[in-house]
Amino acid sequence: MFFVFDGVDGAGKSTQLNLFADWLRECGRDVVCYTDPGTTELGGQMRSLLLGDHQVPIHMRSEMLMFMTARCQLVEELIKPALANGKTVVCDRYVFSTVVYQGHAGDLDPDDVWKVNQIATAGLMPDLTFIFDLDIATAGERMGTLRDRMESRGEAYFQRVRAGFLREAERWQSGVAVIDASGDIEGIQAAIRRAAVSIFPKPTD
Ligand code: TYD
C-alpha cells in the first residue's frame, strides 16, 4: 500500500507520519518512508536548490519541473521497487503539493500541473493521501522564524496553499482524507488510523 502525508507547512505532518509508520510496523507491515523531494541522490540535490538559501533565479514553471524531476526519480528508483516487493510506502508529500504550491498558489494552471504529474509518476497514485489542514496563523507560529525558500513566501501565499489543498480534496474525494491538524497529537493520529483502516484490504483479499 502507498500512503502520502501532505498539506500546509507547519501542520505537524512529519511527527504524524513517523507515528503512523511505527504503528504500521507494529501491525506487521514492512514499511519504508520517503521524502518528496528527497531520499534519492538527485532528489536531494533538487531539494537543496528548491529550498536552499541562494540567489539562483528559479521561474515558477522551472520550480514546478524541478519538483517533478525529483518525484520521477523517487518513483522509479524507490517507490515502484518497494511496492513491487510488497512493502508499505509512506511518503512525505507527493503530487498534491505541486498542484497546490506551484498551481493554485503559484499561479500555474492546476490542470497543467496534473498533466505533468501524470508524466512524472507514470500515473502512480497513492492508495490514500492525508491532507493536513490548519489555519495559517497557527501554522505560521509552528513554522517559527527560521524559514526555507518556500516557507518565506508570506501569509497570502499560504492562504492560497490552504485553499488549494481544500479545493483539490473536494475535487478528488476518493483517495483523500482531510485531517484537522488543530487538535492534540493523539487525536490527530487516531483520525489518521481510522481513515487508513477504512481502506485496508480485507484479510481474504
Ligand atoms: P516539507 O516537505 O514541508 O519539509 P520540511 O518539513 O523540511 O520543511 O518542505 C517542502 C517544501 O516544499 C514545502 O514548503 C512545500 C514545498 N513543495 C512545493 O512547493 N511543491 C512540491 O511539489 C513539493 C513536493 C513541496
Side-chain angles (χ1 to χ4, degrees), residues 9 36 47 67 71 93 97-98 101-102 150-151:
D9 292 78
D36 178 14
R47 188 177 178 89
F67 278 111
R71 180 164 307 133
R93 297 197 184 276
S97 273
T98 331
Y101 282 83
Q102 283 66 50
M150 301 298 303
E151 289 168 346

Side-chain angles (χ1 to χ4, degrees), residues 105-125:
D107 278 343
L108 300 182
D109 179 343
D111 289 331
D112 284 348
V113 183
W114 275 120
K115 285 182 201 148
V116 186
N117 260 325
Q118 171 72 20
I119 295 168
T121 63
L124 179 68
M125 284 295 280

Side-chain angles (χ1 to χ4, degrees), residues 20-31 86-88 200:
F20 182 65
D22 288 346
W23 174 67
L24 289 175
R25 289 188 184 104
E26 282 161 22
C27 296
R29 286 171 189 261
D30 189 359
V31 181
K87 293 180 195 285
T88 298
F200 279 162

